[in-house]
Amino acid sequence: MQIHYLSEGNSVLNHFLGQIRNVNVHNDSMRFRRNIERIGEIMAYELSKQLHYAPIEIQTPLGIKNTTEIKDQLVLCSILRAGIPLHLGFLNYFDNAENGFVSAYRHHPNNDDYFDILVQYQAIADINGKNLVLVDPMLATGQSIVAVYNKLMENGTPKEIHIAVVIAAPEGIAYLEEHLPEHCHLWVASLDEKLNEHRYIVPGLGDAGDLAYGNKL
């Protein structure tokens, strides 16, 4: 797996990452969603450097300009519900992309810390021969992304696979490296320290879905 870490140098990305972590601004859901969206825009720009381009001629009012445009067909897919603001950030830049949405959540059958991943809903465009970009804010254990990936592969075979996450734990990255193809690209805005005993990212930011859309039952 090719891993791209995006926050190693100083940039506005770190500014937005700091705000989404800050408990003093967590009561402002709109600000949280907007910052996740802006992080998605930055990640989309960085990912765009790995895409394939074709030369084109543009007619301007004063002449012809030779430039390039994206050649790849993209399918953006997010994991509901936390992935929606990040998805929107990518869609702001890849506005011609097709889209997909999949539900996946931690199911605790014994009401303890053990869980499995349930994937119950999907609506996605044809991915055959296209670049699949799977986005999810938090990469904790990695089980949700692998479960969604396996479900999507039942629908076809993409040309390239990109996975974009805002905050990742080392354990989740190791799980993806073990269970996903070597040619996948993993884009990480920020790498955190570890998972705690409940398998949540530390220092992390809490539950991204709750912070974006309110607490769930």
Side-chain angles (χ1 to χ4, degrees):
M1 178 177 292
Q2 300 181 54
I3 305 177
H4 310 267
Y5 296 104
L6 303 182
S7 63
E8 293 178 338
N10 287 324
S11 76
V12 71
L13 174 61
N14 289 334
H15 178 79
F16 297 144
L17 286 166
Q19 289 189 355
I20 65 172
R21 294 181 188 270
N22 192 334
V23 295
N24 294 318
V25 296
H26 274 182
N27 61 342
D28 189 341
S29 339
M30 184 175 68
R31 185 174 177 185
F32 182 85
R33 291 193 303 270
R34 181 64 182 118
N35 279 331
I36 292 287
E37 181 181 341
R38 292 193 286 190
I39 290 169
E41 292 173 348
I42 294 169
M43 298 186 77
Y45 170 75
E46 295 296 335
L47 189 154
S48 74
K49 300 175 184 178
Q50 296 289 323
L51 301 178
H52 301 91
Y53 290 78
I56 59 169
E57 289 186 347
I58 299 293
Q59 177 70 58
T60 81
L62 300 176
I64 299 294
K65 174 62 180 177
N66 293 315
T67 184
T68 59
E69 66 178 3
I70 295 174
K71 183 179 179 181
D72 296 314
Q73 292 180 285
L74 272 64
V75 178
L76 303 177
C77 182
S78 58
I79 299 178
L80 300 173
R81 62 183 168 150
I84 295 174
L86 188 63
H87 186 122
L88 182 57
F90 273 81
L91 193 57
N92 288 343
Y93 275 30
F94 300 135
D95 48 3
N96 291 323
E98 297 174 278
N99 295 272
F101 303 91
V102 179
S103 73
Y105 66 95
R106 294 182 178 188
H107 171 60
H108 297 266
N110 304 316
N111 294 318
D112 56 17
D113 287 340
Y114 170 79
F115 65 86
D116 50 20
I117 302 298
L118 294 187
V119 179
Q120 293 187 321
Y121 169 86
Q122 65 170 329
I124 188 165
D126 179 16
I127 61 174
N128 274 304
K130 301 173 185 177
N131 287 22
L132 174 65
V133 183
L134 179 59
V135 304
D136 194 23
M138 311 297 285
L139 172 57
T141 67
Q143 292 173 246
S144 293
I145 286 178
V146 170
V148 169
Y149 168 82
N150 289 335
K151 187 67 174 178
L152 294 178
M153 291 307 102
E154 297 175 5
N155 299 320
T157 304
K159 182 177 71 172
E160 292 185 4
I161 302 163
H162 297 267
I163 298 168
V165 300
V166 176
I167 297 176
E171 296 92 331
I173 292 176
Y175 190 83
L176 295 194
E177 289 181 306
E178 181 180 354
H179 291 88
L180 295 184
E182 292 183 359
H183 64 272
C184 287
H185 289 262
L186 174 63
W187 300 84
V188 179
S190 184
L191 176 63
D192 275 15
E193 297 172 10
K194 61 181 180 179
L195 297 179
N196 65 14
E197 64 274 15
H198 302 295
R199 289 186 278 185
Y200 286 99
I201 301 173
V202 176
L205 53 74
D207 188 297
D210 287 355
L211 289 168
Y213 298 110
N215 296 332
K216 56 186 175 294
L217 293 177

